[in-house]
PDB file of all heavy atoms in Angstrom:
ATOM      1  N   ALA A 833      -7.845 -89.411  19.764  1.00 89.00           N
ATOM      2  CA  ALA A 833      -9.069 -90.124  20.131  1.00 89.00           C
ATOM      3  C   ALA A 833      -9.576 -90.885  18.915  1.00 89.00           C
ATOM      4  O   ALA A 833      -9.488 -90.393  17.790  1.00 89.00           O
ATOM      5  CB  ALA A 833     -10.131 -89.145  20.618  1.00 89.00           C
ATOM      6  N   PRO A 834     -10.126 -92.057  19.117  1.00 86.00           N
ATOM      7  CA  PRO A 834     -10.579 -92.875  17.983  1.00 86.00           C
ATOM      8  C   PRO A 834     -11.673 -92.203  17.158  1.00 86.00           C
ATOM      9  O   PRO A 834     -11.756 -92.430  15.960  1.00 86.00           O
ATOM     10  CB  PRO A 834     -11.096 -94.165  18.636  1.00 86.00           C
ATOM     11  CG  PRO A 834     -11.121 -93.938  20.089  1.00 86.00           C
ATOM     12  CD  PRO A 834     -10.321 -92.727  20.396  1.00 86.00           C
ATOM     13  N   ASP A 835     -12.476 -91.347  17.775  1.00 82.00           N
ATOM     14  CA  ASP A 835     -13.582 -90.684  17.064  1.00 82.00           C
ATOM     15  C   ASP A 835     -13.225 -89.270  16.608  1.00 82.00           C
ATOM     16  O   ASP A 835     -14.096 -88.491  16.254  1.00 82.00           O
ATOM     17  CB  ASP A 835     -14.825 -90.652  17.952  1.00 82.00           C
ATOM     18  CG  ASP A 835     -14.609 -89.879  19.241  1.00 82.00           C
ATOM     19  OD1 ASP A 835     -13.441 -89.591  19.590  1.00 82.00           O
ATOM     20  OD2 ASP A 835     -15.608 -89.556  19.906  1.00 82.00           O
ATOM     21  N   ASN A 836     -11.944 -88.938  16.594  1.00 81.00           N
ATOM     22  CA  ASN A 836     -11.493 -87.583  16.279  1.00 81.00           C
ATOM     23  C   ASN A 836     -10.354 -87.648  15.255  1.00 81.00           C
ATOM     24  O   ASN A 836      -9.328 -88.267  15.536  1.00 81.00           O
ATOM     25  CB  ASN A 836     -11.029 -86.913  17.582  1.00 81.00           C
ATOM     26  CG  ASN A 836     -10.721 -85.458  17.420  1.00 81.00           C
ATOM     27  OD1 ASN A 836     -11.364 -84.760  16.657  1.00 81.00           O
ATOM     28  ND2 ASN A 836      -9.739 -84.984  18.160  1.00 81.00           N
ATOM     29  N   PHE A 837     -10.528 -87.039  14.098  1.00 78.00           N
ATOM     30  CA  PHE A 837      -9.483 -87.001  13.067  1.00 78.00           C
ATOM     31  C   PHE A 837      -8.950 -88.387  12.739  1.00 78.00           C
ATOM     32  O   PHE A 837      -7.736 -88.592  12.641  1.00 78.00           O
ATOM     33  CB  PHE A 837      -8.337 -86.064  13.475  1.00 78.00           C
ATOM     34  CG  PHE A 837      -8.744 -84.627  13.570  1.00 78.00           C
ATOM     35  CD1 PHE A 837      -9.094 -84.066  14.794  1.00 78.00           C
ATOM     36  CD2 PHE A 837      -8.818 -83.842  12.446  1.00 78.00           C
ATOM     37  CE1 PHE A 837      -9.488 -82.748  14.889  1.00 78.00           C
ATOM     38  CE2 PHE A 837      -9.208 -82.520  12.527  1.00 78.00           C
ATOM     39  CZ  PHE A 837      -9.542 -81.970  13.750  1.00 78.00           C
ATOM     40  N   ASP A 838      -9.846 -89.353  12.591  1.00 82.00           N
ATOM     41  CA  ASP A 838      -9.488 -90.729  12.255  1.00 82.00           C
ATOM     42  C   ASP A 838      -8.454 -91.326  13.200  1.00 82.00           C
ATOM     43  O   ASP A 838      -7.614 -92.131  12.810  1.00 82.00           O
ATOM     44  CB  ASP A 838      -8.976 -90.820  10.807  1.00 82.00           C
ATOM     45  CG  ASP A 838     -10.043 -90.431   9.804  1.00 82.00           C
ATOM     46  OD1 ASP A 838     -11.224 -90.767  10.049  1.00 82.00           O
ATOM     47  OD2 ASP A 838      -9.704 -89.807   8.791  1.00 82.00           O
ATOM     48  N   GLY A 839      -8.497 -90.887  14.452  1.00 85.00           N
ATOM     49  CA  GLY A 839      -7.577 -91.416  15.445  1.00 85.00           C
ATOM     50  C   GLY A 839      -6.194 -90.800  15.410  1.00 85.00           C
ATOM     51  O   GLY A 839      -5.318 -91.201  16.173  1.00 85.00           O
ATOM     52  N   MET A 840      -5.995 -89.815  14.531  1.00 92.00           N
ATOM     53  CA  MET A 840      -4.692 -89.154  14.426  1.00 92.00           C
ATOM     54  C   MET A 840      -4.560 -88.083  15.511  1.00 92.00           C
ATOM     55  O   MET A 840      -5.544 -87.489  15.937  1.00 92.00           O
ATOM     56  CB  MET A 840      -4.525 -88.501  13.053  1.00 92.00           C
ATOM     57  CG  MET A 840      -4.612 -89.480  11.891  1.00 92.00           C
ATOM     58  SD  MET A 840      -3.316 -90.725  11.905  1.00 92.00           S
ATOM     59  CE  MET A 840      -1.893 -89.725  11.616  1.00 92.00           C
ATOM     60  N   GLU A 841      -3.343 -87.831  15.944  1.00 95.00           N
ATOM     61  CA  GLU A 841      -3.074 -86.803  16.937  1.00 95.00           C
ATOM     62  C   GLU A 841      -3.344 -85.425  16.330  1.00 95.00           C
ATOM     63  O   GLU A 841      -2.836 -85.106  15.254  1.00 95.00           O
ATOM     64  CB  GLU A 841      -1.614 -86.913  17.401  1.00 95.00           C
ATOM     65  CG  GLU A 841      -1.250 -86.005  18.539  1.00 95.00           C
ATOM     66  CD  GLU A 841       0.171 -86.240  19.044  1.00 95.00           C
ATOM     67  OE1 GLU A 841       1.025 -86.726  18.257  1.00 95.00           O
ATOM     68  OE2 GLU A 841       0.434 -85.931  20.210  1.00 95.00           O
ATOM     69  N   SER A 842      -4.173 -84.611  16.990  1.00 96.00           N
ATOM     70  CA  SER A 842      -4.431 -83.240  16.535  1.00 96.00           C
ATOM     71  C   SER A 842      -3.872 -82.277  17.583  1.00 96.00           C
ATOM     72  O   SER A 842      -3.861 -82.586  18.774  1.00 96.00           O
ATOM     73  CB  SER A 842      -5.922 -83.005  16.316  1.00 96.00           C
ATOM     74  OG  SER A 842      -6.638 -83.152  17.521  1.00 96.00           O
ATOM     75  N   PHE A 843      -3.432 -81.105  17.133  1.00 98.00           N
ATOM     76  CA  PHE A 843      -2.710 -80.176  17.997  1.00 98.00           C
ATOM     77  C   PHE A 843      -3.429 -78.844  18.122  1.00 98.00           C
ATOM     78  O   PHE A 843      -4.042 -78.359  17.175  1.00 98.00           O
ATOM     79  CB  PHE A 843      -1.302 -79.912  17.435  1.00 98.00           C
ATOM     80  CG  PHE A 843      -0.424 -81.111  17.438  1.00 98.00           C
ATOM     81  CD1 PHE A 843      -0.429 -81.990  16.358  1.00 98.00           C
ATOM     82  CD2 PHE A 843       0.407 -81.384  18.518  1.00 98.00           C
ATOM     83  CE1 PHE A 843       0.385 -83.106  16.354  1.00 98.00           C
ATOM     84  CE2 PHE A 843       1.214 -82.502  18.514  1.00 98.00           C
ATOM     85  CZ  PHE A 843       1.213 -83.368  17.433  1.00 98.00           C
ATOM     86  N   GLY A 844      -3.282 -78.249  19.306  1.00 98.00           N
ATOM     87  CA  GLY A 844      -3.812 -76.921  19.545  1.00 98.00           C
ATOM     88  C   GLY A 844      -2.894 -76.161  20.483  1.00 98.00           C
ATOM     89  O   GLY A 844      -2.013 -76.733  21.116  1.00 98.00           O
ATOM     90  N   MET A 845      -3.134 -74.860  20.574  1.00 98.00           N
ATOM     91  CA  MET A 845      -2.376 -74.006  21.481  1.00 98.00           C
ATOM     92  C   MET A 845      -3.277 -73.637  22.640  1.00 98.00           C
ATOM     93  O   MET A 845      -4.425 -73.249  22.437  1.00 98.00           O
ATOM     94  CB  MET A 845      -1.899 -72.754  20.745  1.00 98.00           C
ATOM     95  CG  MET A 845      -0.933 -71.918  21.515  1.00 98.00           C
ATOM     96  SD  MET A 845       0.670 -72.761  21.589  1.00 98.00           S
ATOM     97  CE  MET A 845       1.462 -71.785  22.843  1.00 98.00           C
ATOM     98  N   LEU A 846      -2.748 -73.773  23.847  1.00 98.00           N
ATOM     99  CA  LEU A 846      -3.483 -73.447  25.059  1.00 98.00           C
ATOM    100  C   LEU A 846      -3.033 -72.078  25.555  1.00 98.00           C
ATOM    101  O   LEU A 846      -1.832 -71.814  25.657  1.00 98.00           O
ATOM    102  CB  LEU A 846      -3.229 -74.522  26.118  1.00 98.00           C
ATOM    103  CG  LEU A 846      -3.955 -74.386  27.445  1.00 98.00           C
ATOM    104  CD1 LEU A 846      -5.472 -74.415  27.248  1.00 98.00           C
ATOM    105  CD2 LEU A 846      -3.510 -75.491  28.397  1.00 98.00           C
ATOM    106  N   TYR A 847      -3.997 -71.221  25.869  1.00 98.00           N
ATOM    107  CA  TYR A 847      -3.742 -69.859  26.351  1.00 98.00           C
ATOM    108  C   TYR A 847      -4.431 -69.627  27.686  1.00 98.00           C
ATOM    109  O   TYR A 847      -5.360 -70.344  28.052  1.00 98.00           O
ATOM    110  CB  TYR A 847      -4.288 -68.824  25.353  1.00 98.00           C
ATOM    111  CG  TYR A 847      -3.553 -68.765  24.054  1.00 98.00           C
ATOM    112  CD1 TYR A 847      -3.921 -69.593  22.997  1.00 98.00           C
ATOM    113  CD2 TYR A 847      -2.487 -67.898  23.870  1.00 98.00           C
ATOM    114  CE1 TYR A 847      -3.245 -69.542  21.786  1.00 98.00           C
ATOM    115  CE2 TYR A 847      -1.803 -67.844  22.663  1.00 98.00           C
ATOM    116  CZ  TYR A 847      -2.188 -68.670  21.626  1.00 98.00           C
ATOM    117  OH  TYR A 847      -1.517 -68.623  20.440  1.00 98.00           O
ATOM    118  N   TYR A 848      -3.983 -68.560  28.358  1.00 98.00           N
ATOM    119  CA  TYR A 848      -4.625 -68.091  29.580  1.00 98.00           C
ATOM    120  C   TYR A 848      -4.983 -66.629  29.358  1.00 98.00           C
ATOM    121  O   TYR A 848      -4.145 -65.838  28.926  1.00 98.00           O
ATOM    122  CB  TYR A 848      -3.658 -68.215  30.763  1.00 98.00           C
ATOM    123  CG  TYR A 848      -4.214 -67.680  32.062  1.00 98.00           C
ATOM    124  CD1 TYR A 848      -5.022 -68.467  32.866  1.00 98.00           C
ATOM    125  CD2 TYR A 848      -3.937 -66.383  32.473  1.00 98.00           C
ATOM    126  CE1 TYR A 848      -5.533 -67.986  34.055  1.00 98.00           C
ATOM    127  CE2 TYR A 848      -4.438 -65.892  33.660  1.00 98.00           C
ATOM    128  CZ  TYR A 848      -5.246 -66.699  34.448  1.00 98.00           C
ATOM    129  OH  TYR A 848      -5.760 -66.210  35.618  1.00 98.00           O
ATOM    130  N   ALA A 849      -6.247 -66.267  29.639  1.00 98.00           N
ATOM    131  CA  ALA A 849      -6.688 -64.876  29.475  1.00 98.00           C
ATOM    132  C   ALA A 849      -7.350 -64.376  30.746  1.00 98.00           C
ATOM    133  O   ALA A 849      -8.130 -65.093  31.379  1.00 98.00           O
ATOM    134  CB  ALA A 849      -7.657 -64.756  28.308  1.00 98.00           C
ATOM    135  N   ASP A 850      -7.040 -63.142  31.096  1.00 98.00           N
ATOM    136  CA  ASP A 850      -7.690 -62.449  32.208  1.00 98.00           C
ATOM    137  C   ASP A 850      -8.450 -61.280  31.591  1.00 98.00           C
ATOM    138  O   ASP A 850      -7.848 -60.348  31.061  1.00 98.00           O
ATOM    139  CB  ASP A 850      -6.642 -61.964  33.200  1.00 98.00           C
ATOM    140  CG  ASP A 850      -7.247 -61.459  34.497  1.00 98.00           C
ATOM    141  OD1 ASP A 850      -8.472 -61.214  34.546  1.00 98.00           O
ATOM    142  OD2 ASP A 850      -6.489 -61.299  35.468  1.00 98.00           O
ATOM    143  N   VAL A 851      -9.771 -61.355  31.640  1.00 98.00           N
ATOM    144  CA  VAL A 851     -10.633 -60.378  30.974  1.00 98.00           C
ATOM    145  C   VAL A 851     -11.087 -59.327  31.977  1.00 98.00           C
ATOM    146  O   VAL A 851     -11.539 -59.661  33.077  1.00 98.00           O
ATOM    147  CB  VAL A 851     -11.860 -61.071  30.340  1.00 98.00           C
ATOM    148  CG1 VAL A 851     -12.772 -60.054  29.670  1.00 98.00           C
ATOM    149  CG2 VAL A 851     -11.417 -62.132  29.346  1.00 98.00           C
ATOM    150  N   THR A 852     -10.976 -58.058  31.591  1.00 98.00           N
ATOM    151  CA  THR A 852     -11.440 -56.968  32.451  1.00 98.00           C
ATOM    152  C   THR A 852     -12.746 -56.349  31.961  1.00 98.00           C
ATOM    153  O   THR A 852     -13.454 -55.722  32.743  1.00 98.00           O
ATOM    154  CB  THR A 852     -10.370 -55.859  32.571  1.00 98.00           C
ATOM    155  OG1 THR A 852      -9.993 -55.433  31.258  1.00 98.00           O
ATOM    156  CG2 THR A 852      -9.142 -56.377  33.311  1.00 98.00           C
ATOM    157  N   ARG A 853     -13.075 -56.540  30.670  1.00 97.00           N
ATOM    158  CA  ARG A 853     -14.319 -55.944  30.155  1.00 97.00           C
ATOM    159  C   ARG A 853     -14.876 -56.800  29.029  1.00 97.00           C
ATOM    160  O   ARG A 853     -14.139 -57.261  28.158  1.00 97.00           O
ATOM    161  CB  ARG A 853     -14.051 -54.530  29.635  1.00 97.00           C
ATOM    162  CG  ARG A 853     -15.307 -53.785  29.220  1.00 97.00           C
ATOM    163  CD  ARG A 853     -15.034 -52.300  28.983  1.00 97.00           C
ATOM    164  NE  ARG A 853     -14.160 -52.074  27.853  1.00 97.00           N
ATOM    165  CZ  ARG A 853     -14.582 -51.714  26.625  1.00 97.00           C
ATOM    166  NH1 ARG A 853     -15.852 -51.553  26.385  1.00 97.00           N
ATOM    167  NH2 ARG A 853     -13.705 -51.523  25.663  1.00 97.00           N
ATOM    168  N   PHE A 854     -16.203 -57.007  29.081  1.00 96.00           N
ATOM    169  CA  PHE A 854     -16.924 -57.789  28.079  1.00 96.00           C
ATOM    170  C   PHE A 854     -17.908 -56.901  27.316  1.00 96.00           C
ATOM    171  O   PHE A 854     -18.468 -55.961  27.873  1.00 96.00           O
ATOM    172  CB  PHE A 854     -17.763 -58.897  28.744  1.00 96.00           C
ATOM    173  CG  PHE A 854     -16.962 -59.956  29.423  1.00 96.00           C
ATOM    174  CD1 PHE A 854     -16.705 -59.872  30.783  1.00 96.00           C
ATOM    175  CD2 PHE A 854     -16.484 -61.049  28.722  1.00 96.00           C
ATOM    176  CE1 PHE A 854     -15.992 -60.856  31.438  1.00 96.00           C
ATOM    177  CE2 PHE A 854     -15.770 -62.045  29.368  1.00 96.00           C
ATOM    178  CZ  PHE A 854     -15.515 -61.949  30.729  1.00 96.00           C
ATOM    179  N   GLU A 855     -18.153 -57.256  26.073  1.00 93.00           N
ATOM    180  CA  GLU A 855     -19.248 -56.683  25.307  1.00 93.00           C
ATOM    181  C   GLU A 855     -20.552 -57.205  25.914  1.00 93.00           C
ATOM    182  O   GLU A 855     -20.596 -58.311  26.441  1.00 93.00           O
ATOM    183  CB  GLU A 855     -19.115 -57.113  23.842  1.00 93.00           C
ATOM    184  CG  GLU A 855     -20.008 -56.369  22.899  1.00 93.00           C
ATOM    185  CD  GLU A 855     -19.630 -56.635  21.451  1.00 93.00           C
ATOM    186  OE1 GLU A 855     -19.638 -57.813  21.046  1.00 93.00           O
ATOM    187  OE2 GLU A 855     -19.319 -55.669  20.757  1.00 93.00           O
ATOM    188  N   GLN A 856     -21.616 -56.448  25.819  1.00 87.00           N
ATOM    189  CA  GLN A 856     -22.875 -56.833  26.442  1.00 87.00           C
ATOM    190  C   GLN A 856     -23.596 -57.966  25.726  1.00 87.00           C
ATOM    191  O   GLN A 856     -24.351 -58.708  26.336  1.00 87.00           O
ATOM    192  CB  GLN A 856     -23.812 -55.617  26.535  1.00 87.00           C
ATOM    193  CG  GLN A 856     -23.294 -54.546  27.460  1.00 87.00           C
ATOM    194  CD  GLN A 856     -23.102 -55.058  28.885  1.00 87.00           C
ATOM    195  OE1 GLN A 856     -23.975 -55.717  29.434  1.00 87.00           O
ATOM    196  NE2 GLN A 856     -21.943 -54.794  29.465  1.00 87.00           N
ATOM    197  N   GLU A 857     -23.373 -58.113  24.418  1.00 85.00           N
ATOM    198  CA  GLU A 857     -24.114 -59.093  23.633  1.00 85.00           C
ATOM    199  C   GLU A 857     -23.149 -59.987  22.865  1.00 85.00           C
ATOM    200  O   GLU A 857     -22.164 -59.516  22.303  1.00 85.00           O
ATOM    201  CB  GLU A 857     -25.021 -58.350  22.644  1.00 85.00           C
ATOM    202  CG  GLU A 857     -25.965 -59.228  21.881  1.00 85.00           C
ATOM    203  CD  GLU A 857     -26.891 -58.413  20.984  1.00 85.00           C
ATOM    204  OE1 GLU A 857     -27.247 -57.286  21.353  1.00 85.00           O
ATOM    205  OE2 GLU A 857     -27.219 -58.911  19.904  1.00 85.00           O
ATOM    206  N   LEU A 858     -23.456 -61.304  22.833  1.00 83.00           N
ATOM    207  CA  LEU A 858     -22.646 -62.248  22.072  1.00 83.00           C
ATOM    208  C   LEU A 858     -23.172 -62.340  20.643  1.00 83.00           C
ATOM    209  O   LEU A 858     -24.370 -62.225  20.411  1.00 83.00           O
ATOM    210  CB  LEU A 858     -22.682 -63.632  22.732  1.00 83.00           C
ATOM    211  CG  LEU A 858     -22.072 -63.707  24.118  1.00 83.00           C
ATOM    212  CD1 LEU A 858     -22.305 -65.087  24.719  1.00 83.00           C
ATOM    213  CD2 LEU A 858     -20.585 -63.395  24.082  1.00 83.00           C
ATOM    214  N   HIS A 859     -22.270 -62.563  19.688  1.00 78.00           N
ATOM    215  CA  HIS A 859     -22.635 -62.612  18.267  1.00 78.00           C
ATOM    216  C   HIS A 859     -22.164 -63.910  17.634  1.00 78.00           C
ATOM    217  O   HIS A 859     -21.615 -63.916  16.542  1.00 78.00           O
ATOM    218  CB  HIS A 859     -22.005 -61.428  17.529  1.00 78.00           C
ATOM    219  CG  HIS A 859     -22.274 -60.107  18.157  1.00 78.00           C
ATOM    220  ND1 HIS A 859     -23.466 -59.437  18.004  1.00 78.00           N
ATOM    221  CD2 HIS A 859     -21.517 -59.331  18.966  1.00 78.00           C
ATOM    222  CE1 HIS A 859     -23.429 -58.301  18.677  1.00 78.00           C
ATOM    223  NE2 HIS A 859     -22.260 -58.217  19.270  1.00 78.00           N
ATOM    224  N   SER A 860     -22.355 -65.031  18.317  1.00 82.00           N
ATOM    225  CA  SER A 860     -21.852 -66.302  17.784  1.00 82.00           C
ATOM    226  C   SER A 860     -22.796 -67.430  18.158  1.00 82.00           C
ATOM    227  O   SER A 860     -23.922 -67.203  18.589  1.00 82.00           O
ATOM    228  CB  SER A 860     -20.453 -66.578  18.346  1.00 82.00           C
ATOM    229  OG  SER A 860     -20.537 -66.928  19.714  1.00 82.00           O
ATOM    230  N   GLU A 861     -22.286 -68.637  18.031  1.00 85.00           N
ATOM    231  CA  GLU A 861     -23.060 -69.827  18.362  1.00 85.00           C
ATOM    232  C   GLU A 861     -23.177 -70.042  19.870  1.00 85.00           C
ATOM    233  O   GLU A 861     -23.854 -70.949  20.326  1.00 85.00           O
ATOM    234  CB  GLU A 861     -22.423 -71.062  17.710  1.00 85.00           C
ATOM    235  CG  GLU A 861     -21.104 -71.481  18.320  1.00 85.00           C
ATOM    236  CD  GLU A 861     -19.867 -70.749  17.809  1.00 85.00           C
ATOM    237  OE1 GLU A 861     -20.004 -69.797  17.008  1.00 85.00           O
ATOM    238  OE2 GLU A 861     -18.758 -71.118  18.212  1.00 85.00           O
ATOM    239  N   ILE A 862     -22.532 -69.192  20.648  1.00 89.00           N
ATOM    240  CA  ILE A 862     -22.571 -69.302  22.098  1.00 89.00           C
ATOM    241  C   ILE A 862     -23.830 -68.613  22.625  1.00 89.00           C
ATOM    242  O   ILE A 862     -24.099 -67.462  22.298  1.00 89.00           O
ATOM    243  CB  ILE A 862     -21.305 -68.698  22.732  1.00 89.00           C
ATOM    244  CG1 ILE A 862     -20.057 -69.445  22.251  1.00 89.00           C
ATOM    245  CG2 ILE A 862     -21.395 -68.698  24.254  1.00 89.00           C
ATOM    246  CD1 ILE A 862     -20.038 -70.931  22.545  1.00 89.00           C
ATOM    247  N   GLU A 863     -24.579 -69.340  23.438  1.00 90.00           N
ATOM    248  CA  GLU A 863     -25.815 -68.807  24.017  1.00 90.00           C
ATOM    249  C   GLU A 863     -25.531 -67.852  25.166  1.00 90.00           C
ATOM    250  O   GLU A 863     -26.137 -66.798  25.287  1.00 90.00           O
ATOM    251  CB  GLU A 863     -26.672 -69.971  24.516  1.00 90.00           C
ATOM    252  CG  GLU A 863     -27.988 -69.563  25.123  1.00 90.00           C
ATOM    253  CD  GLU A 863     -28.790 -70.777  25.539  1.00 90.00           C
ATOM    254  OE1 GLU A 863     -29.101 -71.602  24.653  1.00 90.00           O
ATOM    255  OE2 GLU A 863     -29.076 -70.910  26.740  1.00 90.00           O
ATOM    256  N   THR A 864     -24.576 -68.249  26.027  1.00 92.00           N
ATOM    257  CA  THR A 864     -24.271 -67.431  27.194  1.00 92.00           C
ATOM    258  C   THR A 864     -22.893 -67.784  27.726  1.00 92.00           C
ATOM    259  O   THR A 864     -22.343 -68.828  27.396  1.00 92.00           O
ATOM    260  CB  THR A 864     -25.331 -67.624  28.305  1.00 92.00           C
ATOM    261  OG1 THR A 864     -25.119 -66.659  29.330  1.00 92.00           O
ATOM    262  CG2 THR A 864     -25.284 -69.014  28.893  1.00 92.00           C
TER     263      THR A 864
END
Side-chain angles (χ1 to χ4, degrees):
D835 61 346
N836 188 35
F837 295 96
D838 297 323
M840 300 297 294
E841 187 175 26
S842 63
F843 295 88
M845 189 72 193
L846 182 61
Y847 291 88
Y848 177 84
D850 190 345
V851 179
T852 54
R853 186 168 66 100
F854 294 95
E855 192 168 58
Q856 294 301 313
E857 187 176 327
L858 296 174
H859 308 281
S860 72
E861 70 276 5
I862 299 302
E863 181 178 300
T864 189

